[in-house]
Each structure stands twice: as C-alpha cells, then as structure tokens.
Amino acid sequence: MSPLDRWYVDLSLVAFATGLAVLTVAFGVTGVLRTAVVVPLVTVLPGYAFVSFLYPAAGNSAVRTFDENQRGLRNPLPTKEGIDALERFVFAVVTTLFIVPLVAVVANFTPWGITLYPLLFGTTGLTLLLTVGGLIRRYRLPAERRYTPQISEFLSNVTYSDASNAFGTADSRRRLFNVALGVSLLLLVSSVGYAAVNPPQQDGFTEFYVNTDNVTGDTQSMYPAQFVAGETRTLSVNVTNQEHEQMQYEAVVHVQRTNGTGADAQVVESNRVAAQSVTVDHAETRTVNFEVSPSMRGSDQRMVVYLYRGQAPDDPTMESAYQSLRLPITVA
C-alpha cells in the first residue's frame, strides 16, 4: 500500500494547505507564491472538506440481483456506496463555488464587512471545522468502509473506458469525456482562483481634504478661517491613500494675498508658512497638522495647501501639485 493510501492523508493535507494559506496572507507574502497557496483555498479545499464530511465511505461498487420472475429484470442492477475520487474532486470544485460566496454574504453583516480577514478566517474556519468532522465520521466507520485516497483509483477513473457499450461495440467516449471534464475543471479552478486572489484593481487615487472631526452646530467654518495677525492656529488636513501601495507625500502650506476670488484670482503675494512629509499605507488615512501664523492683514487672503507624491518642489503651483486646497481666510 502506498504511503498516500491512508484514510486520513487527504484531509490532513487539506488542513495543512488551509493553515499555510493563512500564514501566507498573515506574513504578507506576495507574488506567485501567494497565488499558488491561496488559490486552492478559494476553489477546492472548502468543498472537498464538505464532501468528505457528507460522504465518509468509500465508493465501492456492488451488484444487486433481482428475481427475474417478480421484477422482470434480466440483468443485475449495479449499485455503489459513496463516491469515488473523481466525483469527490468534481463535487469539491462545485461546492466551493457556493461556500465561498456564502462566507462573503455572512461577512457582509459583520462590523468588518467584506474585507480580507473576515473572508480569510471565515473560509479557513469553516474548512477546518468540516475537515475535523470528516475525519471523525471516517474514523467511526469500519476500516473496510472508510474512504481511502488512492492515486491509482483517480487515474483509472479519468482514463476508464467500457469494454463494450449496450450494443456490444467498443466505446471510448467515456474516456474522452473524463479527460475533457478534468481539463475543464483545471481551467475553472485556475481562472476562478486567480481572479479571486488577484481581483482587477481600479486606477489609484488620493483623497485630500480638511479635517472636520470637531464640527458642531456652532461651527462657523470647517477650518480656522479667522486669524489675528501674529496668532498661530492649527490647520489639520487628511490624506487617504487609495493608490494600492504605500505612498510618500509632502504637503506645503502657502498664505497668499489675491486680487480676487475663486480659481481665477491672481496672486499678489505668497509666503510659505509650513511643510510636512508623511508616509501613508494603502487604505490608510493620516492627519497632518500645520501650525499656521499669517503675518499679512486683510480679507483678501487664502491658505493654499499643495500635496505632492514624493518631494515637493521649491516653488509649488496649482498645476504641478497632485492635489491642492484653497481656503479663504481673514486676518485682523
């Protein structure tokens, strides 16, 4: 008997592969290795554990005889208990296509929503639970009835052809069908698994806006708009990275005097008052605080905050900045 011909080996491999997928994601492994490890988790493993739980017995064929005089059957009727290796694989793929979306539906009603870790731990937790249940159900069966994975059985199922069909002629169509089924399932597993692990990403962008966490019913403006000459106030802006990678930003604040309002206003005077660099991970929001102290008086002024990816130039402009904010102010 081959070392693989043990009734617990296949489910032990399912548990090992599931745990390996969790560790791969937890340690931030990327690239081909991550895809190779995680794809089975979203295409085969949950369904295989589920099928093993439902069908702990081996797919042994048998022949049931009938009394021809009472039943009118000339030939015995073949029957089979359980399912064989090829059927288990087919059912595993099909069942996984229902289990993974079901986990996503349940995750949608959790406080975390449909995000990576609820999906990961939901899928792995259900897979391991079904794996343990399948091992227990197999163990409780007599040794001769337990399903035992055998590579030779799987290969014989794929390449099997009947010696003759119902009319007594050679028939190789079943072999062709089994091979085509195997190839189709491999293509399905590869395409669905790759799409699940590497979903298409939209173009990246960065959100840049004034921090308004302390807004109340008595708030007159969303940012410090009223200054006294020489007074220092804090301007807080938020940077949210949606670029699908860690980003380095530099934000620069200028106080400008203009001869008008809006985007067409001409700048008469401009002073650089603050600058700060910040590193933001993907999907993270960082608050940047600037200590601003305008020296010019008047109501024809504004604060302009320039945001650059990477290092800002010595002379920032609206045209060269990645994002910018125009904030009118009055200095008494």
Side-chain angles (χ1 to χ4, degrees):
M1 179 178 289
S2 168
L4 291 178
D5 296 339
R6 300 289 188 271
W7 63 269
Y8 52 82
V9 167
D10 57 334
L11 291 177
S12 299
L13 291 176
V14 169
F16 173 78
T18 302
L20 184 62
V22 174
L23 293 177
T24 300
V25 175
F27 284 100
V29 178
T30 59
V32 177
L33 179 59
R34 179 189 179 107
T35 300
V37 172
V38 177
V39 162
L41 180 63
V42 296
T43 56
V44 179
L45 299 182
Y48 190 90
F50 179 73
V51 172
S52 298
F53 178 76
L54 290 182
Y55 298 100
N60 298 321
S61 299
V63 175
R64 181 183 302 172
T65 59
F66 291 90
D67 186 340
E68 181 180 343
N69 295 329
Q70 294 183 4
R71 302 292 183 180
L73 297 176
R74 295 181 178 275
N75 298 320
L77 180 66
T79 61
K80 185 175 67 173
E81 178 186 12
I83 56 177
D84 56 36
L86 180 61
E87 292 169 334
R88 286 177 184 271
F89 180 72
V90 174
F91 291 158
V93 174
V94 175
T95 306
T96 302
L97 296 179
F98 290 93
I99 292 179
V100 174
L102 180 61
V103 172
V105 171
V106 175
N108 184 52
F109 294 96
T110 66
W112 304 277
I114 304 178
T115 54
L116 174 61
Y117 287 103
L119 291 177
L120 176 66
F121 291 118
T123 303
T124 56
L126 183 60
T127 301
L128 293 176
L129 182 64
L130 291 171
T131 299
V132 173
L135 287 170
I136 293 175
R137 293 203 64 193
R138 283 189 196 175
Y139 179 76
R140 297 179 64 180
L141 290 175
E144 64 275 7
R145 293 186 57 200
R146 295 172 188 160
Y147 172 73
T148 301
Q150 298 180 13
I151 296 179
S152 58
E153 176 191 357
F154 181 82
L155 295 177
S156 65
N157 287 333
V158 173
T159 60
Y160 173 81
S161 63
D162 292 328
S164 62
N165 60 17
F167 299 96
T169 60
D171 184 13
S172 61
R173 288 176 297 177
R174 179 170 180 178
R175 172 183 299 176
L176 180 62
F177 172 78
N178 288 341
V179 172
L181 177 61
V183 172
S184 300
L185 286 174
L186 288 176
L187 291 176
L188 175 65
V189 168
S190 301
S191 59
V192 173
Y194 184 83
V197 177
N198 299 280
Q201 295 181 343
Q202 299 178 350
D203 292 338
F205 62 94
T206 297
E207 300 177 38
F208 187 47
Y209 53 96
V210 175
N211 184 1
T212 58
D213 291 343
N214 298 323
V215 172
T216 66
D218 298 327
T219 301
Q220 296 180 354
S221 64
M222 299 297 180
Y223 60 92
Q226 303 295 326
F227 287 84
V228 175
E231 176 189 16
T232 300
R233 299 189 64 181
T234 300
L235 171 66
S236 298
V237 295
N238 288 340
V239 180
T240 301
N241 177 11
Q242 300 291 352
E243 305 283 353
H244 307 294
E245 61 179 336
Q246 186 183 78
M247 295 294 296
Q248 177 76 29
Y249 301 95
E250 184 174 5
V252 181
V253 181
H254 277 218
V255 174
Q256 300 176 344
R257 184 188 299 277
T258 64
N259 62 358
T261 59
D264 297 331
Q266 294 183 352
V267 178
V268 177
E269 186 177 354
S270 180
N271 295 321
R272 178 170 176 154
V273 297
Q276 191 172 154
S277 297
V278 60
T279 300
V280 187
D281 292 330
H282 171 66
E284 181 186 12
T285 298
R286 293 286 301 273
T287 299
V288 183
N289 297 314
F290 298 100
E291 300 300 321
V292 180
S293 179
S295 59
M296 300 180 291
R297 292 182 173 86
S299 59
D300 55 349
Q301 299 185 58
R302 67 184 183 187
M303 290 186 294
V304 179
V305 188
Y306 303 100
L307 182 70
Y308 286 86
R309 290 184 291 188
Q311 187 175 3
D314 295 333
D315 186 19
T317 63
M318 298 286 189
E319 292 73 21
S320 64
Y322 180 49
Q323 300 277 2
S324 62
L325 299 173
R326 301 182 183 92
L327 308 174
I329 61 173
T330 298
V331 181

Short mmCIF file of all heavy atoms in Angstrom, two decimals, residues 112-170:
data_model
loop_
_atom_site.label_atom_id
_atom_site.label_comp_id
_atom_site.label_asym_id
_atom_site.label_seq_id
_atom_site.Cartn_x
_atom_site.Cartn_y
_atom_site.Cartn_z
N TRP A 112 -16.93 44.25 10.24
CA TRP A 112 -15.77 44.43 9.37
C TRP A 112 -16.14 44.44 7.89
O TRP A 112 -15.36 44.86 7.06
CB TRP A 112 -14.73 43.35 9.64
CG TRP A 112 -14.34 43.31 11.07
CD1 TRP A 112 -13.40 44.09 11.71
CD2 TRP A 112 -14.88 42.45 12.09
NE1 TRP A 112 -13.33 43.77 13.03
CE2 TRP A 112 -14.22 42.77 13.31
CE3 TRP A 112 -15.85 41.45 12.08
CZ2 TRP A 112 -14.53 42.13 14.49
CZ3 TRP A 112 -16.15 40.81 13.27
CH2 TRP A 112 -15.49 41.15 14.45
N GLY A 113 -17.33 43.92 7.54
CA GLY A 113 -17.75 43.90 6.16
C GLY A 113 -16.97 42.89 5.33
O GLY A 113 -16.27 42.02 5.85
N ILE A 114 -17.10 43.02 3.99
CA ILE A 114 -16.43 42.10 3.08
C ILE A 114 -15.01 42.59 2.85
O ILE A 114 -14.70 43.26 1.86
CB ILE A 114 -17.20 41.98 1.74
CG1 ILE A 114 -18.66 41.57 2.00
CG2 ILE A 114 -16.54 40.95 0.83
CD1 ILE A 114 -19.49 41.47 0.75
N THR A 115 -14.14 42.26 3.78
CA THR A 115 -12.73 42.61 3.68
C THR A 115 -11.89 41.34 3.78
O THR A 115 -12.42 40.24 3.97
CB THR A 115 -12.33 43.60 4.78
OG1 THR A 115 -12.70 43.05 6.08
CG2 THR A 115 -13.04 44.93 4.61
N LEU A 116 -10.58 41.50 3.65
CA LEU A 116 -9.71 40.34 3.53
C LEU A 116 -9.81 39.39 4.71
O LEU A 116 -10.06 38.19 4.54
CB LEU A 116 -8.26 40.81 3.35
CG LEU A 116 -7.19 39.70 3.37
CD1 LEU A 116 -7.41 38.72 2.22
CD2 LEU A 116 -5.80 40.30 3.30
N TYR A 117 -9.63 39.89 5.92
CA TYR A 117 -9.51 38.99 7.06
C TYR A 117 -10.81 38.30 7.45
O TYR A 117 -10.80 37.11 7.80
CB TYR A 117 -8.89 39.72 8.24
CG TYR A 117 -7.41 39.97 8.04
CD1 TYR A 117 -6.93 41.22 7.66
CD2 TYR A 117 -6.49 38.93 8.18
CE1 TYR A 117 -5.57 41.43 7.44
CE2 TYR A 117 -5.13 39.13 7.96
CZ TYR A 117 -4.68 40.38 7.60
OH TYR A 117 -3.34 40.57 7.38
N PRO A 118 -11.98 38.97 7.41
CA PRO A 118 -13.22 38.20 7.64
C PRO A 118 -13.42 37.08 6.63
O PRO A 118 -13.84 35.97 6.99
CB PRO A 118 -14.31 39.28 7.52
CG PRO A 118 -13.63 40.54 7.87
CD PRO A 118 -12.23 40.41 7.34
N LEU A 119 -13.12 37.33 5.36
CA LEU A 119 -13.25 36.28 4.35
C LEU A 119 -12.24 35.17 4.59
O LEU A 119 -12.58 33.98 4.49
CB LEU A 119 -13.05 36.88 2.96
CG LEU A 119 -14.14 37.83 2.45
CD1 LEU A 119 -13.76 38.38 1.09
CD2 LEU A 119 -15.48 37.12 2.35
N LEU A 120 -11.01 35.55 4.92
CA LEU A 120 -9.96 34.55 5.14
C LEU A 120 -10.28 33.66 6.32
O LEU A 120 -10.28 32.42 6.21
CB LEU A 120 -8.62 35.25 5.34
CG LEU A 120 -7.44 34.34 5.67
CD1 LEU A 120 -7.12 33.43 4.50
CD2 LEU A 120 -6.21 35.16 6.06
N PHE A 121 -10.58 34.28 7.46
CA PHE A 121 -10.82 33.48 8.67
C PHE A 121 -12.16 32.76 8.61
O PHE A 121 -12.30 31.66 9.17
CB PHE A 121 -10.74 34.37 9.91
CG PHE A 121 -9.35 34.87 10.19
CD1 PHE A 121 -9.06 36.22 10.18
CD2 PHE A 121 -8.32 33.98 10.44
CE1 PHE A 121 -7.78 36.68 10.43
CE2 PHE A 121 -7.03 34.42 10.69
CZ PHE A 121 -6.76 35.78 10.68
N GLY A 122 -13.15 33.34 7.92
CA GLY A 122 -14.42 32.63 7.76
C GLY A 122 -14.26 31.38 6.91
O GLY A 122 -14.77 30.30 7.26
N THR A 123 -13.55 31.51 5.80
CA THR A 123 -13.35 30.36 4.91
C THR A 123 -12.48 29.30 5.56
O THR A 123 -12.79 28.10 5.52
CB THR A 123 -12.71 30.82 3.59
OG1 THR A 123 -13.53 31.81 2.98
CG2 THR A 123 -12.55 29.65 2.63
N THR A 124 -11.37 29.71 6.18
CA THR A 124 -10.48 28.73 6.82
C THR A 124 -11.15 28.08 8.03
O THR A 124 -11.00 26.87 8.23
CB THR A 124 -9.17 29.40 7.25
OG1 THR A 124 -9.47 30.52 8.12
CG2 THR A 124 -8.41 29.92 6.05
N GLY A 125 -11.88 28.86 8.80
CA GLY A 125 -12.55 28.28 9.96
C GLY A 125 -13.57 27.23 9.56
O GLY A 125 -13.63 26.14 10.16
N LEU A 126 -14.38 27.53 8.53
CA LEU A 126 -15.37 26.55 8.07
C LEU A 126 -14.68 25.33 7.47
O LEU A 126 -15.12 24.19 7.70
CB LEU A 126 -16.28 27.22 7.04
CG LEU A 126 -17.42 26.37 6.48
CD1 LEU A 126 -18.34 25.92 7.60
CD2 LEU A 126 -18.21 27.15 5.43
N THR A 127 -13.60 25.55 6.72
CA THR A 127 -12.89 24.42 6.12
C THR A 127 -12.31 23.50 7.18
O THR A 127 -12.44 22.27 7.09
CB THR A 127 -11.76 24.94 5.21
OG1 THR A 127 -12.31 25.79 4.19
CG2 THR A 127 -11.02 23.79 4.56
N LEU A 128 -11.67 24.08 8.19
CA LEU A 128 -11.10 23.24 9.25
C LEU A 128 -12.17 22.53 10.06
O LEU A 128 -11.99 21.36 10.46
CB LEU A 128 -10.23 24.12 10.17
CG LEU A 128 -8.96 24.69 9.53
CD1 LEU A 128 -8.25 25.62 10.50
CD2 LEU A 128 -8.02 23.58 9.07
N LEU A 129 -13.30 23.19 10.31
CA LEU A 129 -14.39 22.55 11.04
C LEU A 129 -14.93 21.35 10.26
O LEU A 129 -15.15 20.26 10.83
CB LEU A 129 -15.50 23.56 11.28
CG LEU A 129 -16.71 23.07 12.08
CD1 LEU A 129 -16.29 22.67 13.49
CD2 LEU A 129 -17.79 24.13 12.13
N LEU A 130 -15.14 21.51 8.96
CA LEU A 130 -15.61 20.40 8.14
C LEU A 130 -14.56 19.30 8.03
O LEU A 130 -14.90 18.11 7.96
CB LEU A 130 -15.98 20.92 6.75
CG LEU A 130 -17.21 21.82 6.67
CD1 LEU A 130 -17.33 22.45 5.29
CD2 LEU A 130 -18.47 21.04 7.01
N THR A 131 -13.29 19.69 8.01
CA THR A 131 -12.22 18.70 7.94
C THR A 131 -12.21 17.81 9.19
O THR A 131 -12.12 16.58 9.09
CB THR A 131 -10.86 19.40 7.80
OG1 THR A 131 -10.85 20.16 6.59
CG2 THR A 131 -9.73 18.38 7.76
N VAL A 132 -12.33 18.43 10.35
CA VAL A 132 -12.39 17.65 11.60
C VAL A 132 -13.62 16.76 11.61
O VAL A 132 -13.56 15.58 12.00
CB VAL A 132 -12.38 18.60 12.81
CG1 VAL A 132 -12.62 17.83 14.10
CG2 VAL A 132 -11.06 19.36 12.89
N GLY A 133 -14.76 17.30 11.17
CA GLY A 133 -15.97 16.48 11.12
C GLY A 133 -15.83 15.32 10.17
O GLY A 133 -16.29 14.20 10.46
N GLY A 134 -15.17 15.54 9.01
CA GLY A 134 -14.96 14.44 8.08
C GLY A 134 -14.06 13.36 8.64
O GLY A 134 -14.30 12.17 8.43
N LEU A 135 -12.99 13.76 9.36
CA LEU A 135 -12.11 12.78 9.99
C LEU A 135 -12.85 11.95 11.03
O LEU A 135 -12.67 10.73 11.11
CB LEU A 135 -10.92 13.49 10.62
CG LEU A 135 -9.86 14.05 9.67
CD1 LEU A 135 -8.87 14.92 10.42
CD2 LEU A 135 -9.13 12.92 8.94
N ILE A 136 -13.69 12.61 11.81
CA ILE A 136 -14.44 11.88 12.84
C ILE A 136 -15.41 10.89 12.21
O ILE A 136 -15.53 9.73 12.65
CB ILE A 136 -15.19 12.88 13.74
CG1 ILE A 136 -14.19 13.72 14.55
CG2 ILE A 136 -16.16 12.15 14.67
CD1 ILE A 136 -14.83 14.81 15.37
N ARG A 137 -16.10 11.31 11.15
CA ARG A 137 -17.07 10.42 10.51
C ARG A 137 -16.37 9.23 9.86
O ARG A 137 -16.88 8.10 9.91
CB ARG A 137 -17.87 11.18 9.46
CG ARG A 137 -18.79 12.24 10.05
CD ARG A 137 -19.93 12.55 9.10
NE ARG A 137 -20.76 11.37 8.91
CZ ARG A 137 -21.68 11.25 7.95
NH1 ARG A 137 -21.82 12.22 7.05
NH2 ARG A 137 -22.42 10.18 7.85
N ARG A 138 -15.22 9.44 9.25
CA ARG A 138 -14.48 8.31 8.68
C ARG A 138 -14.01 7.35 9.77
O ARG A 138 -14.07 6.13 9.63
CB ARG A 138 -13.28 8.80 7.88
CG ARG A 138 -13.60 9.35 6.52
CD ARG A 138 -12.32 9.59 5.75
NE ARG A 138 -12.53 10.45 4.60
CZ ARG A 138 -11.58 10.90 3.81
NH1 ARG A 138 -10.31 10.57 4.08
NH2 ARG A 138 -11.85 11.68 2.77
N TYR A 139 -13.50 7.92 10.86
CA TYR A 139 -12.95 7.10 11.94
C TYR A 139 -14.03 6.18 12.54
O TYR A 139 -13.72 5.06 12.96
CB TYR A 139 -12.37 8.00 13.01
CG TYR A 139 -11.80 7.26 14.20
CD1 TYR A 139 -10.57 6.61 14.11
CD2 TYR A 139 -12.50 7.19 15.40
CE1 TYR A 139 -10.05 5.92 15.19
CE2 TYR A 139 -11.99 6.50 16.48
CZ TYR A 139 -10.76 5.87 16.38
OH TYR A 139 -10.26 5.17 17.45
N ARG A 140 -15.26 6.65 12.57
CA ARG A 140 -16.34 5.86 13.18
C ARG A 140 -16.82 4.74 12.27
O ARG A 140 -17.60 3.88 12.71
CB ARG A 140 -17.50 6.79 13.53
CG ARG A 140 -17.12 7.84 14.58
CD ARG A 140 -18.27 8.76 14.89
NE ARG A 140 -19.39 8.06 15.48
CZ ARG A 140 -20.54 8.64 15.85
NH1 ARG A 140 -20.69 9.94 15.67
NH2 ARG A 140 -21.51 7.92 16.36
N LEU A 141 -16.38 4.72 11.00
CA LEU A 141 -16.77 3.64 10.10
C LEU A 141 -15.82 2.46 10.25
O LEU A 141 -14.66 2.63 10.65
CB LEU A 141 -16.73 4.12 8.64
CG LEU A 141 -17.80 5.14 8.21
CD1 LEU A 141 -17.53 5.57 6.77
CD2 LEU A 141 -19.19 4.54 8.32
N PRO A 142 -16.28 1.26 9.92
CA PRO A 142 -15.35 0.12 9.87
C PRO A 142 -14.23 0.39 8.87
O PRO A 142 -14.42 1.09 7.87
CB PRO A 142 -16.25 -1.04 9.41
CG PRO A 142 -17.63 -0.63 9.78
CD PRO A 142 -17.67 0.87 9.64
N ALA A 143 -13.06 -0.15 9.13
CA ALA A 143 -11.88 0.14 8.31
C ALA A 143 -12.11 -0.16 6.84
O ALA A 143 -11.65 0.57 5.96
CB ALA A 143 -10.67 -0.65 8.83
N GLU A 144 -12.86 -1.24 6.55
CA GLU A 144 -13.05 -1.62 5.15
C GLU A 144 -14.03 -0.69 4.41
O GLU A 144 -14.08 -0.70 3.18
CB GLU A 144 -13.56 -3.07 5.06
CG GLU A 144 -14.94 -3.31 5.68
CD GLU A 144 -14.88 -3.58 7.18
OE1 GLU A 144 -13.77 -3.44 7.75
OE2 GLU A 144 -15.92 -3.93 7.76
N ARG A 145 -14.77 0.13 5.16
CA ARG A 145 -15.75 1.03 4.51
C ARG A 145 -15.24 2.47 4.41
O ARG A 145 -15.83 3.27 3.70
CB ARG A 145 -17.06 1.04 5.30
CG ARG A 145 -17.82 -0.28 5.28
CD ARG A 145 -19.16 -0.11 5.96
NE ARG A 145 -19.93 0.97 5.32
CZ ARG A 145 -20.94 1.60 5.93
NH1 ARG A 145 -21.27 1.30 7.17
NH2 ARG A 145 -21.59 2.55 5.28
N ARG A 146 -14.16 2.80 5.10
CA ARG A 146 -13.66 4.17 5.06
C ARG A 146 -13.13 4.52 3.66
O ARG A 146 -12.52 3.69 3.00
CB ARG A 146 -12.51 4.35 6.06
CG ARG A 146 -12.91 4.20 7.51
CD ARG A 146 -11.68 4.22 8.38
NE ARG A 146 -11.99 3.89 9.77
CZ ARG A 146 -11.11 3.47 10.65
NH1 ARG A 146 -9.84 3.32 10.28
NH2 ARG A 146 -11.47 3.20 11.88
N TYR A 147 -13.35 5.76 3.28
CA TYR A 147 -12.76 6.23 2.03
C TYR A 147 -11.26 6.41 2.24
O TYR A 147 -10.82 7.06 3.19
CB TYR A 147 -13.37 7.55 1.59
CG TYR A 147 -12.63 8.15 0.41
CD1 TYR A 147 -12.76 7.59 -0.86
CD2 TYR A 147 -11.78 9.23 0.58
CE1 TYR A 147 -12.06 8.11 -1.93
CE2 TYR A 147 -11.08 9.77 -0.50
CZ TYR A 147 -11.22 9.19 -1.75
OH TYR A 147 -10.52 9.70 -2.81
N THR A 148 -10.49 5.80 1.35
CA THR A 148 -9.03 5.91 1.40
C THR A 148 -8.55 6.47 0.08
O THR A 148 -8.78 5.86 -0.97
CB THR A 148 -8.40 4.53 1.65
OG1 THR A 148 -8.89 3.99 2.89
CG2 THR A 148 -6.88 4.66 1.73
N PRO A 149 -7.91 7.64 0.08
CA PRO A 149 -7.47 8.22 -1.19
C PRO A 149 -6.38 7.37 -1.83
O PRO A 149 -5.41 6.97 -1.19
CB PRO A 149 -6.92 9.59 -0.77
CG PRO A 149 -6.55 9.43 0.67
CD PRO A 149 -7.53 8.47 1.24
N GLN A 150 -6.57 7.10 -3.12
CA GLN A 150 -5.60 6.33 -3.88
C GLN A 150 -5.44 6.99 -5.25
O GLN A 150 -6.41 7.20 -5.97
CB GLN A 150 -6.07 4.88 -4.06
CG GLN A 150 -6.21 4.12 -2.74
CD GLN A 150 -6.66 2.68 -2.96
OE1 GLN A 150 -6.64 2.19 -4.09
NE2 GLN A 150 -7.06 2.02 -1.89
N ILE A 151 -4.20 7.32 -5.57
CA ILE A 151 -3.92 7.94 -6.86
C ILE A 151 -4.30 7.01 -8.00
O ILE A 151 -4.82 7.46 -9.03
CB ILE A 151 -2.43 8.33 -6.95
CG1 ILE A 151 -2.10 9.38 -5.89
CG2 ILE A 151 -2.10 8.86 -8.33
CD1 ILE A 151 -0.66 9.80 -5.88
N SER A 152 -4.07 5.73 -7.83
CA SER A 152 -4.39 4.77 -8.89
C SER A 152 -5.88 4.77 -9.19
O SER A 152 -6.30 4.64 -10.35
CB SER A 152 -3.93 3.37 -8.48
OG SER A 152 -4.54 2.99 -7.25
N GLU A 153 -6.70 4.96 -8.16
CA GLU A 153 -8.15 5.00 -8.38
C GLU A 153 -8.54 6.22 -9.19
O GLU A 153 -9.36 6.15 -10.11
CB GLU A 153 -8.88 5.02 -7.03
CG GLU A 153 -10.39 5.15 -7.16
CD GLU A 153 -11.07 5.45 -5.83
OE1 GLU A 153 -10.35 5.49 -4.81
OE2 GLU A 153 -12.28 5.67 -5.83
N PHE A 154 -7.93 7.37 -8.86
CA PHE A 154 -8.25 8.61 -9.58
C PHE A 154 -7.86 8.48 -11.05
O PHE A 154 -8.62 8.86 -11.95
CB PHE A 154 -7.52 9.78 -8.93
CG PHE A 154 -7.80 11.10 -9.59
CD1 PHE A 154 -8.94 11.82 -9.29
CD2 PHE A 154 -6.91 11.62 -10.53
CE1 PHE A 154 -9.20 13.03 -9.90
CE2 PHE A 154 -7.16 12.83 -11.14
CZ PHE A 154 -8.31 13.53 -10.82
N LEU A 155 -6.66 7.94 -11.30
CA LEU A 155 -6.21 7.81 -12.69
C LEU A 155 -7.06 6.82 -13.46
O LEU A 155 -7.36 7.04 -14.65
CB LEU A 155 -4.74 7.37 -12.71
CG LEU A 155 -3.74 8.38 -12.15
CD1 LEU A 155 -2.34 7.81 -12.15
CD2 LEU A 155 -3.79 9.68 -12.94
N SER A 156 -7.48 5.75 -12.81
CA SER A 156 -8.32 4.78 -13.50
C SER A 156 -9.69 5.36 -13.83
O SER A 156 -10.28 5.05 -14.86
CB SER A 156 -8.47 3.52 -12.65
OG SER A 156 -9.18 3.82 -11.45
N ASN A 157 -10.18 6.26 -12.96
CA ASN A 157 -11.47 6.90 -13.24
C ASN A 157 -11.37 7.84 -14.43
O ASN A 157 -12.29 7.97 -15.23
CB ASN A 157 -11.95 7.68 -12.01
CG ASN A 157 -12.43 6.77 -10.92
OD1 ASN A 157 -12.89 5.66 -11.18
ND2 ASN A 157 -12.32 7.22 -9.68
N VAL A 158 -10.22 8.56 -14.53
CA VAL A 158 -10.05 9.51 -15.63
C VAL A 158 -9.89 8.79 -16.96
O VAL A 158 -10.44 9.21 -17.98
CB VAL A 158 -8.83 10.42 -15.36
CG1 VAL A 158 -8.53 11.29 -16.57
CG2 VAL A 158 -9.11 11.29 -14.15
N THR A 159 -9.12 7.68 -16.97
CA THR A 159 -8.82 7.00 -18.22
C THR A 159 -9.72 5.81 -18.49
O THR A 159 -9.50 5.07 -19.44
CB THR A 159 -7.36 6.52 -18.21
OG1 THR A 159 -7.18 5.60 -17.12
CG2 THR A 159 -6.41 7.70 -18.04
N TYR A 160 -10.75 5.63 -17.69
CA TYR A 160 -11.60 4.45 -17.80
C TYR A 160 -12.39 4.47 -19.10
O TYR A 160 -12.90 5.50 -19.52
CB TYR A 160 -12.56 4.39 -16.61
CG TYR A 160 -13.61 3.28 -16.73
CD1 TYR A 160 -13.27 1.98 -16.40
CD2 TYR A 160 -14.89 3.56 -17.19
CE1 TYR A 160 -14.20 0.97 -16.51
CE2 TYR A 160 -15.82 2.55 -17.31
CZ TYR A 160 -15.48 1.26 -16.97
OH TYR A 160 -16.40 0.28 -17.08
N SER A 161 -12.53 3.32 -19.71
CA SER A 161 -13.45 3.15 -20.85
C SER A 161 -14.08 1.78 -20.76
O SER A 161 -13.44 0.80 -20.39
CB SER A 161 -12.70 3.30 -22.18
OG SER A 161 -11.73 2.28 -22.30
N ASP A 162 -15.34 1.70 -21.07
CA ASP A 162 -16.04 0.42 -21.03
C ASP A 162 -15.54 -0.50 -22.13
O ASP A 162 -15.22 -0.06 -23.23
CB ASP A 162 -17.55 0.63 -21.21
CG ASP A 162 -18.14 1.36 -20.02
OD1 ASP A 162 -17.62 1.16 -18.91
OD2 ASP A 162 -19.10 2.13 -20.21
N ALA A 163 -15.50 -1.75 -21.81
CA ALA A 163 -15.09 -2.70 -22.83
C ALA A 163 -16.10 -2.75 -23.96
O ALA A 163 -15.78 -2.96 -25.11
CB ALA A 163 -14.89 -4.08 -22.21
N SER A 164 -17.34 -2.55 -23.64
CA SER A 164 -18.39 -2.53 -24.66
C SER A 164 -19.53 -1.71 -24.17
O SER A 164 -19.75 -1.57 -22.99
CB SER A 164 -18.84 -3.94 -24.99
OG SER A 164 -19.41 -4.55 -23.83
N ASN A 165 -20.28 -1.17 -25.13
CA ASN A 165 -21.45 -0.41 -24.74
C ASN A 165 -22.66 -1.31 -24.74
O ASN A 165 -22.55 -2.53 -24.84
CB ASN A 165 -21.63 0.80 -25.66
CG ASN A 165 -21.80 0.39 -27.10
OD1 ASN A 165 -22.09 -0.76 -27.41
ND2 ASN A 165 -21.59 1.36 -27.99
N ALA A 166 -23.83 -0.74 -24.68
CA ALA A 166 -25.04 -1.55 -24.58
C ALA A 166 -25.24 -2.41 -25.82
O ALA A 166 -25.94 -3.42 -25.78
CB ALA A 166 -26.24 -0.64 -24.38
N PHE A 167 -24.61 -2.09 -26.94
CA PHE A 167 -24.79 -2.84 -28.16
C PHE A 167 -23.61 -3.76 -28.45
O PHE A 167 -23.49 -4.34 -29.52
CB PHE A 167 -24.98 -1.88 -29.35
CG PHE A 167 -26.20 -1.02 -29.19
CD1 PHE A 167 -26.10 0.26 -28.67
CD2 PHE A 167 -27.45 -1.51 -29.54
CE1 PHE A 167 -27.22 1.03 -28.52
CE2 PHE A 167 -28.58 -0.72 -29.39
CZ PHE A 167 -28.47 0.56 -28.88
N GLY A 168 -22.67 -3.83 -27.47
CA GLY A 168 -21.57 -4.77 -27.61
C GLY A 168 -20.40 -4.27 -28.41
O GLY A 168 -19.50 -5.04 -28.72
N THR A 169 -20.34 -3.00 -28.77
CA THR A 169 -19.22 -2.46 -29.53
C THR A 169 -18.31 -1.67 -28.61
O THR A 169 -18.73 -1.17 -27.57
CB THR A 169 -19.72 -1.54 -30.66
OG1 THR A 169 -20.45 -0.47 -30.07
CG2 THR A 169 -20.60 -2.32 -31.63
N ALA A 170 -17.05 -1.54 -29.00
CA ALA A 170 -16.08 -0.81 -28.20
C ALA A 170 -16.50 0.63 -28.08
O ALA A 170 -16.97 1.24 -29.03
CB ALA A 170 -14.70 -0.93 -28.83
#
